[in-house]
Amino acid sequence: MLAEKLLLQMLIVLAPVLFYSVLLEKSRWAESPYLSGILNGAAASLSLLFSFYEYGIYWDLRYIPLVLAVLYGGTKAGLIVFASLLLTRTYLGGDTLVYGYIAIFLALSVLLLVYRKFWKCTPDKRWKMAIVIGFWPVIVQLCILFAIVEEKQIIFPVTWYQLTMYCVLFGCIQIIGVGCAAILNESIIERSYMKIEIQRAEKLNTIGELAASIAHEVRNPLTVVKGFLQLMERDQTLNSKQYIPLVLSELGRAESIISDYLNFAKPEFRKMEKFNAADFLHDLALLLNPLALKNGVVIEEIYKKSVLLYTDKSQLKQALVNMVKNAIEATDQGGKVSIILEGSNAEAFITIKDTGKGMSEEQLERIGTLFYTTKDKGTGLGTVVSLRIIESMNGTVQYDSKKGKGTVVTVTLPAEESQVEQDQVTKELVHN
Ligand code: ADP
Ligand code: MG
């Protein structure tokens, strides 16, 4: 029976960690100290309510959520757990109520003093420190227990030795509980850091590759401008005015290529905004046109519906840049990559179609797995990052491919139909 009760207690106090690991993937709320406080507060209260009676004393693991909330959520989370423990303890009542209050207060106050030091430790030292900190509530509990025994002169049905052993065992379980939860928390934190790091690495890689093609592309207008200037210098009689618009338009093109690139490369801020999907895709096509030209591929744009998207523009750009880049890289000279936009009730369909080398069944199955690449300089991160981003926007991605024929990637995103009717636009981006 005791084992069952202990298991129930363990489950209750570890549940917030499990919830947390799920929420961290799905919601931005997960980092809020209030959520940590509420989850751990509920666990602490439940632990108190389901405490078990043995040897004339109530036993529970209520301090584990308190320790975890203070260490991982900070003062606010700790105070929420403190409040919920006080309320639940008051509800339970009994003649040792005052001792209960004192114990909770003592446990919290020292935790609040040490938690800043905790965050100065390296991650692999943190769980060890959590275990050391976990001793404090156990010591408080034992002192309070002996104070109650002294004052109330309780007669136990067991000897002092047995009771002490029981207390030590229970204290060990609490400390092990804190240790397990801290290790779980650390692995969750590490995983989320790794996710950010992978995203950053892929972006840096993409930026590097785009920079090479863009530098090449910017050189062309500059050569044209240089040519005109040399011509004007040599022939003073030349009516130079007629060339100025040409020079300006070449410089304008170089400028827009560079500003598109900088727009992509600059650090992103999480910003939700509403924008026209067709305009967005056109900018994307312009950004990738230098790369397409370098590979001898034509980008075709077909916009059938006018739809509005509401999401983080730079994140979406990162996701789609990689898909279009993959399409361009898979396509041989003379091939075509199409960016197609369609829409139907509350959904936008962005299709990236290429006439490239396509993928076999096995390749299709492996796409989206970390580090899977068939390229010499590939990272195998791009698709993983793209899929994650689209998923976090509540969208889906579907890959269809035939070896030797080409690939069709369909991205579905939640959208609004725009009031303005979109004339069906089809254009090919070519070198001007
Ligand atoms: P990387 O581009 O660095 O190789 P990705 O995750 O972007 O990594 O792509 C993984 C692999 O998926 C590529 O190496 C390629 O073999 C395959 N792939 C992705 N998109 C396409 C496509 N449109 N056509 C053919 N193969 C593709
Ligand atoms: Mg790629």
Side-chain angles (χ1 to χ4, degrees):
M1 274 313 268
L2 186 62
E4 270 172 33
K5 287 167 182 166
L6 261 177
L7 277 177
L8 175 68
Q9 286 281 328
M10 268 296 185
L11 183 67
I12 290 174
V13 296
L14 290 183
V17 185
L18 303 178
F19 264 115
Y20 219 75
S21 70
V22 178
L23 281 178
L24 205 63
E25 297 271 307
K26 301 238 181 294
S27 141
R28 275 189 242 162
W29 255 85
E31 281 169 30
S32 137
Y34 299 105
L35 184 77
S36 163
I38 291 168
L39 285 176
N40 281 303
S45 296
L46 281 174
S47 160
L48 205 61
L49 289 171
F50 288 97
S51 57
F52 56 97
Y53 190 72
E54 194 82 41
Y55 302 148
I57 297 171
Y58 285 98
W59 306 83
D60 59 65
L61 299 176
R62 78 186 91 154
Y63 291 107
I64 296 182
L66 184 69
V67 174
L68 294 176
V70 176
L71 294 186
Y72 288 97
T75 316
K76 284 180 195 146
L79 288 175
I80 295 174
V81 180
F82 176 69
S84 70
L85 271 175
L86 279 189
L87 283 176
T88 320
R89 190 64 195 83
T90 313
Y91 166 75
L92 289 175
D95 49 358
T96 56
L97 188 60
V98 179
Y99 287 102
Y101 288 160
I102 295 173
I104 298 168
F105 184 74
L106 279 178
L108 178 78
S109 50
V110 171
L111 286 175
L112 287 181
L113 287 178
V114 296
Y115 96 94
R116 278 184 210 285
K117 282 216 175 71
F118 174 76
W119 279 103
K120 288 197 183 118
C121 293
T122 52
D124 51 334
K125 276 200 189 133
R126 277 208 293 264
W127 68 268
K128 291 176 196 152
M129 189 157 169
I131 289 181
V132 175
I133 295 171
F135 273 93
W136 171 244
V138 174
I139 295 168
V140 170
Q141 260 176 314
L142 286 183
C143 294
I144 295 285
L145 179 69
F146 286 115
I148 295 175
V149 170
E150 270 303 303
E151 201 210 59
K152 307 254 183 236
Q153 297 294 326
I154 300 171
I155 316 266
F156 290 105
V158 285
T159 62
W160 264 108
Y161 174 73
Q162 279 172 316
L163 185 68
T164 313
M165 286 315 289
Y166 200 78
C167 287
V168 169
L169 182 73
F170 198 73
C172 287
I173 290 171
Q174 278 204 45
I175 290 161
I176 290 170
V178 169
C180 287
I183 290 170
L184 283 175
N185 267 335
E186 290 302 332
S187 74
I188 293 169
I189 292 171
E190 193 187 326
R191 214 174 56 198
S192 73
Y193 277 150
M194 224 159 82
K195 211 170 110 181
I196 296 169
E197 209 39 50
I198 286 176
Q199 212 152 327
R200 215 177 61 92
E202 167 58 20
K203 187 157 179 176
L204 284 182
N205 187 290
T206 311
I207 285 171
E209 282 178 19
L210 285 185
S213 56
I214 281 167
H216 177 257
E217 204 44 30
V218 167
R219 209 173 51 185
N220 289 341
L222 289 185
T223 315
V224 174
V225 172
K226 192 175 158 197
F228 278 129
L229 287 178
Q230 279 169 341
L231 198 66
M232 287 177 207
E233 192 189 28
R234 237 180 284 141
D235 191 349
Q236 299 288 341
T237 54
L238 195 79
N239 180 10
S240 51
K241 264 220 163 125
Q242 59 178 333
Y243 295 113
I244 287 178
L246 257 170
V247 167
L248 285 178
S249 93
E250 286 299 299
L251 283 178
R253 197 158 71 86
E255 194 188 6
S256 78
I257 292 174
I258 291 172
S259 68
D260 276 347
Y261 172 73
L262 289 180
N263 227 344
F264 176 69
K266 79 171 180 214
E268 67 211 34
F269 302 101
R270 276 187 170 259
K271 193 170 105 202
M272 300 295 282
E273 58 190 307
K274 201 179 254 189
F275 53 90
N276 185 297
D279 294 345
F280 169 79
L281 289 176
H282 182 59
D283 288 347
L284 184 83
L286 284 178
L287 174 68
L288 286 155
N289 202 38
L291 185 71
L293 290 170
K294 194 173 138 223
N295 289 21
V297 176
V298 171
I299 296 185
E300 179 194 41
E301 301 172 66
I302 304 173
Y303 304 137
K304 295 185 180 165
K305 263 269 164 63
S306 178
V307 281
L308 294 175
L309 295 172
Y310 180 71
T311 183
D312 186 317
K313 215 169 170 175
S314 64
Q315 290 264 355
L316 184 62
K317 202 175 219 172
Q318 188 178 352
L320 293 181
V321 159
N322 180 58
M323 289 173 176
V324 180
K325 203 167 134 265
N326 278 345
I328 294 171
E329 285 164 351
T331 310
D332 286 334
Q333 200 136 19
K336 189 156 83 176
V337 170
S338 312
I339 303 175
I340 304 161
L341 173 71
E342 284 162 294
S344 79
N345 38 15
E347 276 182 329
F349 303 103
I350 300 167
T351 311
I352 297 152
K353 200 162 100 184
D354 65 67
T355 56
K357 57 174 184 272
M359 284 178 274
S360 65
E361 291 264 321
E362 295 110 272
Q363 282 179 312
L364 256 183
E365 259 170 40
R366 294 187 61 188
I367 197 155
T369 37
L370 214 48
F371 307 123
Y372 166 67
T373 178
T374 53
K375 298 168 195 165
D376 292 340
K377 284 188 184 163
T379 59
L381 295 176
T383 324
V384 183
V385 170
S386 300
L387 293 183
R388 283 230 178 108
I389 292 176
I390 302 289
E391 230 169 69
S392 73
M393 292 172 173
N394 292 327
T396 56
V397 182
Q398 155 121 21
Y399 275 90
D400 294 300
S401 190
K402 272 234 168 71
K403 190 107 192 128
K405 285 266 167 61
T407 307
V408 180
V409 187
T410 312
V411 177
T412 311
L413 284 169
E416 263 176 48
E417 220 160 296
S418 166
Q419 300 303 323
V420 197
E421 247 329 288
Q422 169 102 28
D423 304 324
Q424 180 156 336
V425 184
T426 306
K427 51 188 158 194
E428 268 183 17
L429 273 179
V430 279
H431 213 348
N432 55 359

